[in-house]
């Protein structure tokens, strides 16, 4: 079958499916339409041979003139030639037809479409309908478009139609659509159906348009979304303000000049916006040149519509048809390309395009009178088009959100990597500073030197606390924090904190009180490091913000069972206090109650945020009662599992050796560290405790230097050149050597724990190390190895 036959047969199927199109239709012959014997089961279009009188506005009378030339109605005179000359756009004419009816025909109604551009319709000599004002000259002529209806008097057997049409505005003159005569109910019903569908579609488009506009304005500043929303709004005008002119029925008095301009503007602007939208949607697949040309043409046509009289801009429709056809080829091409390249939502875009093409094909074929309107099919096509386009945009928005989330996640990873690198870099030199200060302090310095060393140690510890705070917060945010569940002696933790901060309190002339409930006899199960961190922070803050009076740390046993104890920990001070408005804010990170006052006291504003989160993660909460000027009371209530051991059953393990003790005498340790300063610090401590230290500067050297029968312990840095600590540990374990390996690292334990254990490392000491901790861990592992 060749292409032409194929297309024709498709058209034929379309026609056959459309009601009323396939039925044999009565046609007027020589100015007479005989409808006698017609049951009006379908509406009749008053088509066929009408009599036409150019440049005559016939006087209405009962009788017909029967003189005019025969033309095929509906008839536009601008397509007609008289004496070899095409008739001009501007002019006036009369049309005449006689319709013969049965006297007992059903109640009938006439539907009169809009004409170019005004008419008066006389039936049997009387003015029956009028739209605009007809005149023989431009003066007095008023164009107007509205679909009108007329009920035919029952019992009428002859209808002598005399239709006067005048046009002094539009490019076209005469009539394009048919007048329809039919059963009164059917004609009305048909029109209501048309209006309902048009209104429904307009509503959908406007709502969709405003929805996307809102989306654009309130959040996602995506140009594609803006363009689509504008396109939807502009196109909604085309549904209601053109073709069936439902808007004109709703607002009959609206100016013809205004609505005509809107009709043309919405067409030119609509195509322009859709072209731009396609480009914004898939810029890599669109041609800039094509898109810019279409935009330029559309905008110049819009300008012409705004500035020129209707006679001129109504002529733009034919050239514009070419632009439309080009777009109809170009846009599916872009979508197909995007689809092939797997762009987000392109499959919906392509499907929507097919829907739109069908609608345009129907409307084009209808324009050339090859198809009936098929309004319902077009409606479904439009709905499918807008629905699928919405899917394209939804897909796009969710794709962008996904991308943004991935980027944010990558950012978070980068941030935490950065912090951990920074921490490593800051902690490594701090290790040397703190370690050296400790060592120097133990070497009986002069009194003035001791003071200077104290300041140095204090500042280094401060810096370490800040780095730790930042890292802690980062860790909490990333959800990476874990809590130990080991035995702890809360009373001794409290005592240690108070004695550690005693000198700071004395410096400020503040009394530091400690009250521990005497009924607290058991050790508790919990995380001693974190608990100590929270209490230290609160007491430290209290001392910092108290100028006179006291700071009290009270630990009270609230309730206890055989297995559990509920305690309240309270830190009370007589300091500057916190105003009610600031009380909520200070638990947020980086906030301080009053930056000017707080600056005087120092701090990062992270401490309370960390305490609060640490407690929340342990099912407790940090509370505050405070009044400005009267001090603050921070407290929390926490339930702990009780250990079987009582507080008195202390082991000696925690005791750090004194000046004279040499507990490691006769023990050899292999220290693997590339940083000379750190070697010095660790070596100094270990030798002070009596150990003999061999040094290797990287993993490779460690493997070579290690003597299992001599070295009782390996202290291994992890980040080293040539061979790092992990690799060295793996190598050592592969050789079957079981000597305990203690990692020395500036990273936080949780970051490396898993890898370290997998490599055969037994334990971790975090740099900068506290002499106590180093001592305890070394002792512990030497004891186990024995
Ligand atoms: P930092 O102390 O490092 O600034 P924090 O998070 O520990 O950060 O504290 C936040 C703010 O809460 C402090 O800057 C201070 O304004 C206020 N604050 C904390 N504790 C007290 C207190 N005991 N008395 C008065 N103000 C306090």
């Amino acid at each position: 079958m060749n292409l032409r036959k194929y297309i024709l047969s498709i058209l034929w199927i379309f026609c056959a499916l459309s009601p009323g199109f396939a039925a044999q239709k009565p046609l007027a012959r020589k100015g007479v339409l005989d409808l006698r014997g017609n049951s009006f089961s379908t509406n009749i279009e008053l088509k066929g041979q009408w009599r036409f009188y150019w440049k005559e506005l016939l006087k209405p009378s009962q009788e017909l003139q029967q003189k005019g030339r025969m033309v095929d109605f509906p008839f536009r005179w601008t397509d007609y030639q008289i004496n070899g000359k095409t008739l001009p756009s501007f002019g006036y004419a009369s049309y005449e037809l006689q319709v013969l009816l049965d006297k007992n025909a059903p109640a009938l109604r006439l539907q009169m479409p809009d004409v170019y551009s005004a008419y008066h319709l006389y039936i049997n000599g009387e003015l029956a309908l009028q739209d605009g004002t007809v005149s023989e000259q431009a003066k007095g002529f008023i164009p107007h478009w509205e679909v009108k209806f007329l009920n035919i008097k029952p019992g009428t057997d002859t209808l002598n139609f005399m239709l006067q049409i005048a046009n002094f505005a539009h490019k076209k003159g005469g009539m394009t659509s048919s007048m329809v005569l039919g059963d009164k109910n059917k004609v009305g019903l048909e029109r209501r159906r048309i209006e309902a569908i048009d209104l429904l579609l307009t509503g959908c488009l406007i709502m969709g348009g405003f929805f996307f506009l809102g989306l654009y304005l309130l959040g996602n500043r995506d140009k594609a979304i803006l363009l689509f929303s504008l396109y939807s709004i502009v196109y909604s005008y085309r549904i209601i303000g053109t073709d069936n002119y439902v808007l004109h029925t709703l607002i009959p008095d609206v100016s013809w000049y205004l609505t005509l301009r809107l009709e043309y503007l919405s067409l030119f602007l609509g195509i322009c916006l859709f072209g731009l939208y396609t480009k914004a949607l898939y810029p890599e697949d669109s041609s800039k040149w094509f898109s810019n040309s279409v935009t330029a043409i559309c905008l110049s046509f819009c300008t012409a519509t705004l500035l020129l009289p209707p006679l001129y801009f109504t002529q733009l429709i034919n050239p514009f048809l070419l632009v439309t056809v080009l777009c109809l080829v170009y846009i599916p091409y872009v979508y197909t390309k995007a689809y092939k390249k797997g762009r987000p939502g392109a499959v919906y875009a392509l499907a929507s395009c097919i829907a739109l093409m069908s609608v345009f094909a129907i409307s084009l074929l209808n324009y050339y009178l090859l198809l009936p309107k098929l309004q319902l099919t077009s409606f479904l096509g439009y709905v499918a088009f807008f629905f699928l386009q919405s899917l394209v945009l939804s897909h796009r928005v969710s794709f962008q959100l996904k991308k943004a989330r991935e980027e944010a996640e990558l950012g978070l990873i980068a941030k935490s990597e950065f912090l951990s690198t920074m921490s490593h870099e800051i902690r490594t030199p701090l290790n040397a500073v703190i370690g050296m200060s400790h060592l120097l302090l133990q070497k009986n310095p002069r009194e003035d030197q001791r003071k200077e060393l104290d300041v140095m140690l204090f500042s280094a510890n401060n810096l370490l606390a800040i780095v730790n705070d930042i890292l802690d917060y980062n860790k909490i945010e990333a959800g990476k924090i874990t809590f130990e569940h080991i035995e702890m002696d809360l009373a001794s933790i409290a005592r240690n904190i108070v004695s550690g901060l005693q000198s700071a309190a004395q410096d400020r002339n503040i009394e530091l009180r400690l009250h521990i409930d005497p009924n607290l006899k058991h050790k508790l199960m919990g995380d001693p490091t974190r608990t100590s961190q929270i209490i230290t922070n609160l007491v430290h803050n209290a001392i910092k913000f108290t100028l006179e009076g006291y700071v009290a740390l009270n630990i009270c046993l609230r309730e206890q069972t055989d297995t559990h104890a509920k305690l309240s920990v309270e830190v009370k001070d007589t300091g500057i206090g916190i105003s009610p408005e600031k009380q909520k804010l200070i638990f947020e990170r980086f906030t301080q109650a009053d930056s000017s006052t707080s600056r005087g006291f120092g701090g990062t504003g992270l401490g309370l945020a960390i305490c609060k989160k640490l407690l929340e993660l342990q099912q407790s909460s940090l509370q505050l009662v405070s009044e400005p000027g009267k001090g603050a009371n921070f407290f929390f209530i926490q339930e702990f599992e009780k250990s079987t051991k009582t507080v008195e059953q202390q082991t000696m393990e925690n005791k750090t050796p004194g000046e004279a003790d040499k507990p490691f005498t006769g023990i050899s340790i292999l220290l693997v560290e590339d940083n000379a300063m750190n070697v010095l610090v660790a070596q100094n401590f270990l030798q002070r405790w009596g150990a003999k230290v061999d040094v290797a500067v990287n993993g490779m050297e460690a493997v070579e230097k290690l003597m299992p029968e001599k070295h009782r312990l390996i202290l291994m840095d992890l980040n080293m050149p040539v061979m790092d600590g992990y690799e060295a540990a793996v190598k050592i374990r592969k050789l079957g050597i079981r000597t305990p390996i203690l990692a020395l690292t500036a990273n936080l334990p949780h970051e490396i724990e898993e890898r370290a254990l997998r490599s055969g490392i037994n334990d971790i000491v975090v740099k900068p190390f506290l002499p106590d901790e180093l001592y305890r861990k070394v002792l512990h592992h030497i004891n186990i190895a024995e």
Side-chain angles (χ1 to χ4, degrees):
M1 206 187 302
N2 66 28
L3 190 66
R4 205 169 139 259
K5 273 192 184 164
Y6 186 68
I7 292 170
L8 280 176
S9 50
I10 288 180
L11 281 178
W12 179 241
I13 293 167
F14 257 122
C15 298
L17 287 175
S18 93
F21 206 76
Q24 192 70 49
K25 295 196 174 146
L27 285 177
R29 287 173 61 84
K30 299 209 167 136
V32 179
L33 179 63
D34 190 352
L35 295 178
R36 286 174 299 189
N38 193 307
S39 65
F40 289 95
S41 58
T42 54
N43 297 334
I44 308 291
E45 289 179 301
L46 303 186
K47 284 183 164 180
Q49 294 178 326
W50 284 52
R51 288 183 191 279
F52 174 67
Y53 304 85
W54 175 240
K55 285 255 175 193
E56 284 183 69
L57 291 183
L58 297 183
K59 289 248 161 9
S61 77
Q62 284 287 344
E63 296 306 314
L64 293 176
Q65 303 254 343
Q66 308 272 19
K67 282 190 296 208
R69 54 187 84 219
M70 289 298 168
V71 291
D72 254 342
F73 196 80
F75 171 78
R76 281 200 307 251
W77 70 67
T78 30
D79 300 333
Y80 193 66
Q81 288 189 341
I82 293 180
N83 301 333
K85 269 185 148 183
T86 307
L87 296 186
S89 301
F90 289 0
Y92 50 93
S94 300
Y95 297 71
E96 205 179 58
L97 176 78
Q98 184 169 62
V99 178
L100 301 176
L101 298 168
D102 286 328
K103 256 201 158 64
N104 55 355
L108 294 177
R109 174 178 282 183
L110 177 76
Q111 177 180 310
M112 183 69 192
D114 53 284
V115 308
Y116 300 101
S117 302
Y119 72 84
H120 293 177
L121 174 68
Y122 296 87
I123 299 179
N124 297 340
E126 282 180 23
L127 181 65
L129 281 175
Q130 173 179 3
D131 195 17
T133 306
V134 170
S135 167
E136 290 182 0
Q137 57 216 317
K139 203 166 160 235
F141 157 82
I142 303 172
H144 198 259
W145 285 350
E146 188 186 335
V147 178
K148 299 211 167 191
F149 296 89
L150 176 76
N151 290 336
I152 306 295
K153 265 191 216 137
T156 312
D157 59 1
T158 310
L159 297 172
N160 287 332
F161 284 90
M162 212 274 283
L163 175 65
Q164 300 178 342
I165 297 185
N167 174 49
F168 292 98
H170 204 278
K171 166 75 179 86
K172 293 173 193 162
M175 220 168 149
T176 303
S177 314
S178 294
M179 291 159 72
V180 174
L181 188 65
D183 185 300
K184 190 176 162 190
N185 295 326
K186 275 194 196 128
V187 172
L189 194 71
E190 178 61 18
R191 176 65 189 177
R192 278 206 296 279
R193 202 176 67 91
I194 287 174
E195 287 174 352
I197 290 178
D198 280 359
L199 287 171
L200 189 66
L201 194 55
T202 309
C204 291
L205 291 197
I206 289 201
M207 288 317 293
F210 281 124
F211 167 78
F212 282 112
L213 190 62
L215 192 67
Y216 171 80
L217 291 176
L218 297 179
N220 194 318
R221 294 266 161 167
D222 181 347
K223 215 167 127 197
I225 291 184
L226 174 68
L227 289 166
F228 185 71
S229 77
L230 295 179
Y231 170 71
S232 300
I233 294 167
V234 166
Y235 207 83
S236 70
Y237 182 83
R238 288 206 64 73
I239 306 291
I240 199 173
T242 71
D243 201 16
N244 301 313
Y245 298 107
V246 177
L247 181 76
H248 302 59
T249 309
L250 286 178
I251 323 170
D253 294 334
V254 66
S255 152
W256 181 85
Y257 292 97
L258 174 69
T259 53
L260 189 77
R261 284 208 158 84
L262 288 177
E263 182 173 339
Y264 277 71
L265 276 177
S266 63
L267 176 67
F268 302 146
L269 213 56
I271 297 279
C272 173
L273 286 169
F274 197 70
L276 287 173
Y277 163 67
T278 305
K279 189 176 143 213
L281 207 54
Y282 302 118
E284 290 105 331
D285 308 308
S286 311
S287 146
K288 215 172 162 190
W289 174 86
F290 185 88
S291 174
N292 289 347
S293 315
V294 169
T295 309
I297 295 173
C298 291
L299 292 181
S300 56
F301 280 25
C302 283
T303 316
T305 307
L306 286 170
L307 300 179
L308 299 177
L311 174 66
Y312 302 106
F313 72 75
T314 51
Q315 295 184 38
L316 296 174
I317 201 77
N318 280 339
F320 197 71
L321 209 63
L322 186 72
V323 177
T324 313
V325 170
L326 284 176
C327 286
L328 288 184
V329 175
Y330 168 74
I331 290 171
Y333 162 75
V334 172
Y335 286 169
T336 313
K337 221 167 132 190
Y339 172 69
K340 278 192 184 154
K341 291 196 177 156
R343 307 248 189 256
V347 62
Y348 304 120
L350 201 59
S352 83
C353 221
I354 294 168
L356 190 68
M357 292 304 121
S358 323
V359 174
F360 283 167
I362 293 173
S363 99
L364 219 67
L365 290 172
N366 174 254
Y367 186 80
Y368 290 110
L369 301 174
L370 288 168
L371 259 193
K373 263 192 181 147
L374 299 181
Q375 201 201 6
L376 199 62
T377 317
S378 300
F379 168 74
L380 293 175
Y382 274 128
V383 170
F385 167 73
F386 280 98
F387 174 67
L388 288 163
Q389 282 296 342
S390 307
L391 282 187
V392 175
L393 290 180
S394 317
H395 204 272
R396 186 178 166 91
V397 170
S398 61
F399 179 80
Q400 282 168 346
L401 280 180
K402 205 172 125 211
K403 220 169 110 192
R405 205 185 56 220
E406 279 168 6
E407 274 168 14
E409 278 167 1
L410 280 179
L412 267 184
I413 292 171
K415 182 183 107 183
S416 103
E417 271 173 10
F418 170 75
L419 280 173
S420 117
T421 317
M422 283 306 287
S423 101
H424 186 269
E425 294 308 309
I426 296 173
R427 278 158 167 263
T428 305
L430 263 184
N431 186 36
V433 175
I434 293 176
M436 282 302 186
S437 315
H438 276 293
L439 279 173
L440 289 172
L441 277 168
Q442 285 172 17
K443 284 185 177 165
N444 287 331
R446 287 196 320 264
E447 198 43 38
D448 58 325
Q449 286 173 329
R450 175 177 295 280
K451 273 191 188 149
E452 282 158 10
L453 281 170
D454 277 343
V455 172
M456 192 163 109
L457 193 59
F458 176 79
S459 307
N461 277 326
N462 256 353
L463 182 57
L464 184 63
I466 292 170
V467 173
N468 282 345
D469 269 2
I470 294 174
L471 284 169
D472 266 349
Y473 197 87
N474 188 42
K475 205 166 24 157
I476 292 171
E477 266 199 333
K480 281 189 183 163
I481 203 140
T482 49
F483 292 92
E484 279 189 301
H485 190 67
I486 55 170
E487 217 163 66
M488 64 175 191
D489 178 357
L490 191 59
S492 96
I493 289 177
R495 273 192 292 272
N496 283 343
I497 293 171
V498 168
S499 65
L501 291 170
Q502 199 61 259
S503 63
Q506 273 164 11
D507 287 350
R508 319 195 79 198
N509 257 337
I510 297 165
E511 190 190 339
L512 190 51
R513 299 178 189 169
L514 172 66
H515 168 76
I516 300 169
D517 198 320
N519 294 324
L520 179 62
K521 296 214 168 80
H522 272 84
K523 286 192 176 182
L524 304 168
M525 300 301 288
D527 188 326
T529 320
R530 294 301 177 190
T531 308
S532 162
Q533 180 182 358
I534 296 165
I535 302 175
T536 308
N537 215 318
L538 296 178
V539 177
H540 189 256
N541 269 355
I543 296 173
K544 204 160 72 167
F545 295 105
T546 303
L547 302 173
E548 56 181 315
Y550 67 88
V551 169
L553 168 61
N554 301 323
I555 298 181
C556 297
L557 186 63
R558 291 284 183 110
E559 288 165 26
Q560 69 172 325
T561 62
D562 287 347
T563 54
H564 287 82
K566 198 181 238 181
L567 302 174
S568 71
V569 178
E570 181 195 52
V571 179
K572 208 169 163 212
D573 65 56
T574 52
I576 59 170
I578 304 158
S579 67
E581 327 68 90
K582 301 282 176 183
Q583 288 186 16
K584 276 193 194 112
L585 294 179
I586 54 168
F587 294 108
E588 301 293 322
R589 63 181 172 155
F590 304 124
T591 41
Q592 300 179 321
D594 174 348
S595 40
S596 57
T597 344
S598 304
R599 281 274 53 90
F601 296 103
T604 54
L606 268 178
L608 286 180
I610 293 173
C611 292
K612 181 173 170 259
K613 295 241 167 170
L614 286 178
L615 284 169
E616 278 168 3
L617 289 170
Q618 298 179 93
Q619 286 71 50
S620 176
S621 71
L622 184 56
Q623 314 279 338
L624 165 64
V625 179
S626 176
E627 248 182 79
K630 291 195 178 161
N633 184 359
F634 285 91
F635 64 95
F636 61 91
I637 296 173
Q638 196 177 350
E639 192 172 44
F640 296 92
E641 200 184 311
K642 278 164 62 178
S643 152
T644 46
K645 286 189 192 160
T646 59
V647 177
E648 283 77 33
Q649 292 171 292
Q650 302 253 3
T651 56
M652 290 309 286
E653 223 180 53
N654 286 351
K655 251 184 141 189
T656 321
E659 218 9 58
D661 299 336
K662 299 258 182 220
F664 295 160
T665 310
I667 290 175
S668 275
I669 292 175
L670 180 62
L671 174 65
V672 193
E673 168 71 80
D674 63 317
N675 183 311
M677 290 310 267
N678 285 339
V679 169
L680 206 60
V681 174
Q683 208 175 20
N684 255 313
F685 278 114
L686 295 169
Q687 284 170 349
R688 179 169 289 269
W689 297 327
K692 204 174 160 305
V693 182
D694 292 331
V695 179
V697 293
N698 60 52
M700 183 85 90
E701 205 179 301
V703 178
E704 282 163 12
K705 281 196 174 170
L706 177 65
M707 287 185 270
E709 59 294 344
K710 177 184 173 196
H711 296 126
R712 300 268 299 277
L713 185 96
I714 307 165
L715 267 179
M716 175 104 75
D717 182 26
L718 289 179
N719 293 339
M720 287 178 295
V722 187
M723 184 190 285
D724 67 17
Y726 300 105
E727 212 182 325
V730 170
K731 278 236 155 81
I732 290 170
R733 293 298 178 237
K734 267 198 184 150
L735 292 170
I737 300 170
R738 308 249 56 86
T739 312
I741 304 176
L742 210 52
L744 274 175
T745 173
N747 290 87
L748 290 175
H750 78 93
E751 293 166 4
I752 51 150
E753 211 159 38
E754 217 189 299
R755 191 173 166 205
L757 292 180
R758 256 190 290 121
S759 314
I761 288 166
N762 301 69
D763 207 342
I764 297 163
V765 175
V766 179
K767 287 190 277 192
F769 51 75
L770 298 170
D772 288 13
E773 196 195 357
L774 181 67
Y775 171 73
R776 252 185 292 122
K777 291 213 165 164
V778 171
L779 181 66
H780 176 73
H781 286 283
I782 289 174
N783 285 343
I784 288 179
E786 273 173 355

